[in-house]
Amino acid sequence: MFIGLDVGGTYTDAVLMDGRKITKKTKVPTDNDNLFDSLLNALDPLLEAVKGKNLERIVLSTTLITNLIATKNVDPTALVIIPGPGLNPSTYDYKVPHTFLLSGAIDYRGREIDPLDEQEIKTCAQKIKEAGLKRAVVVGKFSQRNKKHEEKVASYLQEEIPGIRVAMGHQVTGRLNFPRRVFTSLLTIATQERFRTFYSEVLKLLEQRGISAPLYILKADGGTISFDLSAKKPVETIFSGPAASTLGGLALTPKGETTVVVDIGGTTTDLALILSGEPLLASRGAHIDDKLTHVRAFATSSAAVGGDSCLQVQDGLLQIMPYRKGAAYCLGGTHPTPTDAMRVTGITDIGDEKQAVKAMELLGKDLGIGPQKAAEHVLEKTVQRIAGEIEAMFIAWEQEPAYRIWELQQRKKIRPQNLVGIGAASPALLPLLGKEMGCSALTPPDADVANAIGAALAKTNLRLTFHFDTQRNFYFIEETGVQEKLTDIDSLADAESFSMRRLKEEGERIGISAKEEPELVYSELFNMVRGWRRGGRLIDVCVQFPTGIIEYLEEGDA
Amino acid sequence: MERKTGLVFFPAFDWAISPTHPEREERLLYTRDQLFEEGIMDLPQISEYKPRMATHKDIARAHFCVPDVATQITEAHLFAVGGALVLADALMNKEITNGFALVRPPGHHAMRVAHGNRGFCNINNEAIMIEYLRQKYDLNKVVIVDTDVHHGDGTQDMFYHDPDVLFISFHQDGRTLYPGSGFCDELGGPNAFGMNINIPLQPNTTDEGIHYVLENLVLPIIEDFKPDLVVNSAGQDNHYTDPLANMRFTAHGYASLNEKLNPDLAVLEGGYAIETALPYVNTGIILAMAGLDYSWVREPEYRPEDFYETKDRMDYTKKLVSYLWEVWKNREELGAEKYPRNGDFLELSRHIYYDTDSIREQQYEDIRLCDDCPGYQVIRSRGMYPYGSSKLIEAIGIHPRACKSCQEEARKLYEEKKKDYQGVDVIYLQDKVQDRYFQYSKDGDVEVTDEQQTTR
Ligand SMILES: [Zn+2]
Ligand SMILES: [Zn+2]
Ligand SMILES: [Zn+2]
C-alpha cells in the first residue's frame, strides 16, 4: 500500500491507496506555523488504517522549499564566478553582495582557453575569510564540460577557510546556461541545511510511530526521489505541489488522452497540460522567486480568477479583479464574487441564496440587468478568462522554439479532449468551461484529494543526458555532474547502449524497479569535419525512466 | 515600446548539403552552445521566435524556380527563410526594435532565376523577405548591406534593375575569391544606376579598413538615401580564422559594425570558422543589436598586436572609398552616360556558373525602359545541367511600381508567349503589382499560392 501526502498552503491531504483503490482519505487545514502538526493530523488516521498491513512507501509533496526560499533570511554566501569571454557578467544581477570574479576560461568543448590566476584566488579566499562567510558557490562558464577550474578554486577555499561549505556549479546542473547555473547553485546551497533539519524531524516522527516504510518526496518534474537523496538538491522539490496536482489529474483521466488539469481556487485557477497522456514539462527551467533556474518542472500556468475574485463594474463593463476582498457575499462577505453567481444560477448550494441574489443585484444595477442575467454574465466572463488562458498555453507550446526540422514539423495544432477539475470551485464551473471549449468536463469524486493521489502514485523517474566528445575522449552527464574519460565509443549505437547501461545502473541505485522500461528520449550525432575529413564525433544521448504514475485509477474503483 | 531584439535561431541540426560540406549539421553547433551557455535567450532585451514555414508564393515573389519552387527547396530552406519572415512581421508589428535571423541554409548567392544551388545557396532569404515586406506593408526604400566576405552576387542580381532597393556589398576582391564578381563598375541597370555599390577589398583587410569603409562610404550613402529599412546580409566569413577566405576581421569588429550600421533586420549568410569565429561573432552581433555591452566578447587566441593595416592597403581602401563616393554623388549623370536612352528595350546577356550543382546558365535580359516607371524585364535563360540535359525558360518580372501601360504590356506578353511556347520548358509571370505569380508549362497555367509548402 502507498500513502500520498500533500502539505499545501490551505489544506493538507492524504490518501492511503491499495493498488488503484483509495482505502482512506483525509483532509485537514494546514497550520503554516506548525506544518508538522498538520502533517501528522492528516497522516495519523491513515497509519492507523494501515496497521498490520504492508506499507510500501510514503510520498510527500510540500510547499516547504517554497517557504524556505520565501523567508530569505539565509546565511550570507560568497559567489565566485569564472565567466570567461562573452556576455559582460554584470548583465545579470545575482544580488549577492559578496561576488568575486576570477579570470580563467573554458570553451564550449571543455578546453581551457585562459588559465586561472593563483594570486586572484588567494585574494578572493582572503576576502571571504575576512567577511566571515561560511558558504561559497563556485560557478564557471562551461564548467559542465570541464570542472577543473571549479574544483581547483573550491578546494583552495576549503583549505584556506576551515568549515566553509562550497557548492560547485557543475555538480548542481550540467545544462547549458551559466546564469541559471549560478542561480540554481545559490538556491541549492541556501536550502540544503534547513531541508536536512526538516528531513530528520520527519524521520523522527515516523520512527516514533514505528513506521519503517521508505519516505519519498515529489520533485517539480513529477518524479519521486528518496528523502535522503533529495537532501543533496532540495531545490528540485520546489513546486512539488503543482506537480502533485498534475499527476493527480493524470491519474483521474482516461489514459493517453489530451487533458487540461484545472484547479479553480480562491483567486487563481492553476492549469497544467497532459498531452496524449504525458504531462508537459516546461522546455526551460522553473522561475523561482524572480530567478530563472535549471529546475525541471511541469509547464503550468495560472489565470487570475477564482471563486472569491472580487467583481466590479467599471465604465459599464464587468471586471474580474485579480484579488479578493474577503469572503463571497453569500458567505458573509461584502463584495460580489463568482461564488455568488454560482449560487444564483443554482450550480452550487454553497452560501446563503438571498445574499447571493443581493450581490448579483448590486452588480446588475451597474450593468443595467437583473440579478439572474448578471450571474450568468459573471459565469460567462469567468469561464472565458480561464478558456483564454488555456488557449494561450497551447499556443505557447506550439510556439516554443525548436532547432531541428523534424521538431518543427511534428508540432501540430492540438486542443484538449478533456478538462479535469480539481479544487473547490471546479465541480460547479467545469461543465460550463467544457461547453465553452467543446470538450468533456470530468470532475471525479476524489478530485478533492487529487494532490495526495498524485503524490501516492508518482513513479521514481530519472533522466540522464550524456554528451560524448570522441575527439577529446571525454563524456559528461548533465544531471549528475559526472565528467569522465571515454573509451571505445565511436558510433551512435555505442553511445546509446553505454547510456542505457549507465541509466539502468543509476536507476537501480536510486530504487527504480527492474521491471520499469527505460526509454531513449533522443540521440543525435554530429560529425566533426576538419579540412573536409571527419575529425571526431559529438554525440548527445538522453535516456530516461519517465515521469508518470504507477497505476491508473479506473472508473468506479474509488 | 522597450527595446527588444528578436531572434530566430534555426541551426537546422538535421540538414546538410553533404556530410563533409561546410554547410553541414555541425555549422552552428558551437554557436548554440555559446549562446545558450551565455543565457542570451533569457535576457529581457531578447525575444526568441520560432521560424515558420515559408510558402511557395513567398519564394515566387523573388525567384523564377526551374522547373518549379518545390524542386529548388528542402524543408530547411522553407524554415530558414520563414525565420526571416517571422522577424519581418514582428518588426512591422512593433513587437521588436530589430531582429536577427540566425538561420541556415544561406541565400545571398541565389539569383532571380534559380536552376540549382550556387555558392551553398538555393533561394535568397533577404530578397524573399524584402519582397514580402513590400507586399504586406507600406515600405518603399530598402538598403541591403552585404557584410559577407563573398560578393553577394545573388542579391545584386535580384535588385539590379530596382531603383527602390540599394545594394551595398563589401567583400574580398573577386579576383582572389569566389564568385569572382563584385567589381566597382557593377553599378546597377539602366533603371537603377548607382543602386548597386560594390566595395572589393584587398585580402588581409582588418577591422580598421572595414570600419573606414563603413564610416566614410556605407553610412554616408545610407544617410543620403534615407531608406525605410536597413538589412544586414550578415555573413561572418571576413573573420580572420575563416577557412574559405583571407580577411582579418574580428568578432569585436563585427559587433561594432552592427552597432554603427544599426540594421533593422539581419540575416545570417556565410561563415565557416565554426569553432573559432561563429560562437564569438554571433554573440557579439546579438549583444550589439540588443544594445548590450559586447566588450567582453573576444576570440580565445585574439592578440591585438597581430592586427594592423599596411600603408598600401589603407591607401587602396581610401582611394576606393573616395572613388565610389564620387560615383554615388554623380550617379544620375553617370547612368545617363552609360545607358543612353534609345529605344524601348535594352538587351543584356551573360553567362552564370553554379559551382555547387555544376550548372551553366546562358541568360538574355530585355530591360523595359520607361520614362514613367521602373518597368519590367523579360528573361530568357537556358540552364545546361550535368550529363547533357538542359532547360529553357522565359520569365517576365513586373516591378511593384510599374505604370499601367507597362503592366498591361507585360501581362499581354505573357499571354502571347503562352500561345507560342515551342521549345520553352516554363514561362513565368511575376506580377509584383498584383502580387500574383504564374507559371506555364506542359502542365498548363499554374498560379503559385500560399497554400503550397511541399518539397520534392
Ligand atoms: Zn559581401
Ligand atoms: Zn560568404
Ligand atoms: Zn512604365
Side-chain angles (χ1 to χ4, degrees), chain B residues 370-375 402-403 405-406:
Chain B
C370 173
D371 291 333
D372 301 324
C373 79
C403 71
S405 74
C406 283

Side-chain angles (χ1 to χ4, degrees), chain B residues 98-118:
Chain B
N98 55 18
F100 183 17
L102 235 172
V103 298
R104 54 180 286 269
H108 76 144
H109 296 304
M111 298 185 168
R112 283 178 95 178
V113 179
H115 283 283
N117 187 303
R118 298 184 70 247

Side-chain angles (χ1 to χ4, degrees), chain B residues 108-109 148-150 237 270-272:
Chain B
H108 76 144
H109 296 304
D148 190 283
V149 76
H150 301 97
D237 34 15
Y272 300 95

Side-chain angles (χ1 to χ4, degrees), chain B residues 367-421:
Chain B
I367 320 297
R368 177 70 171 92
L369 305 172
C370 173
D371 291 333
D372 301 324
C373 79
Y376 62 90
Q377 298 88 41
V378 185
I379 300 170
R380 189 177 168 88
S381 154
R382 182 181 291 282
M384 284 152 282
Y385 303 147
Y387 315 113
S389 68
S390 81
K391 282 213 161 59
L392 177 66
I393 63 118
E394 289 193 343
I396 303 162
I398 310 176
H399 190 273
R401 283 198 295 111
C403 71
K404 270 256 144 49
S405 74
C406 283
Q407 290 175 37
E408 274 156 26
E409 231 175 86
R411 289 179 198 129
K412 213 170 95 198
L413 191 60
Y414 176 61
E415 295 305 321
E416 279 164 15
K417 284 190 184 294
K418 270 161 57 178
K419 278 182 214 135
D420 178 25
Y421 68 99

Side-chain angles (χ1 to χ4, degrees), chain B residues 171-183 200-201:
Chain B
H171 40 262
Q172 186 176 323
D173 194 316
R175 285 166 296 194
T176 62
L177 191 67
Y178 178 86
S181 56
F183 299 104
L201 297 168

Side-chain angles (χ1 to χ4, degrees), chain A residues 83-89 91-92 101 107-109 111 113-114 140-145 175-181 284 292 397-409 411 467 471 524-530 532-534 538 540, chain B residues 9-15 18-22 24-26 29-30 32-34 36-45 48-51 53 74-76 79 120 244 274-277 279-280 283 287 292-301:
Chain A
L87 195 64
N88 181 336
T91 311
Y92 279 99
L101 239 62
D107 79 358
Y108 42 79
R109 293 277 303 283
R111 294 168 296 213
I113 309 174
D114 294 322
K141 201 176 279 175
F142 289 117
S143 63
Q144 73 276 55
R145 300 190 173 184
R175 288 178 82 178
L176 288 168
N177 197 320
F178 171 69
R180 285 183 185 241
R181 196 153 59 249
R284 295 178 193 175
L292 296 166
W397 175 75
E398 283 160 18
Q399 291 304 323
E400 247 166 38
Y403 308 110
R404 292 159 194 85
I405 298 159
W406 69 265
E407 288 176 310
L408 287 165
Q409 282 173 330
R411 194 151 297 176
H467 178 91
Q471 193 186 45
E524 190 165 38
L525 178 145
F526 292 95
N527 283 318
M528 281 183 264
V529 180
R530 299 297 175 264
W532 302 83
R533 295 192 117 92
R534 185 156 80 77
L538 292 173
D540 290 340
Chain B
F9 182 54
F10 178 61
F13 285 143
D14 45 358
W15 186 88
S18 71
T20 57
H21 195 279
R24 64 178 178 275
E25 298 90 341
E26 188 195 1
L29 186 60
Y30 313 107
R32 187 250 340 238
D33 288 353
Q34 188 75 35
F36 284 18
E37 177 70 350
E38 299 288 3
I40 293 273
M41 305 303 187
D42 287 339
L43 289 168
Q45 294 88 348
E48 188 181 7
Y49 288 82
K50 175 186 170 181
M53 230 176 173
T74 64
E75 284 89 355
F79 281 121
F120 316 167
L244 305 185
I274 61 174
E275 288 209 65
T276 47
Y280 307 102
T283 305
L287 294 181
L292 290 162
D293 179 15
Y294 54 81
S295 63
W296 283 64
V297 177
R298 71 177 161 77
E299 300 84 345
E301 288 93 27

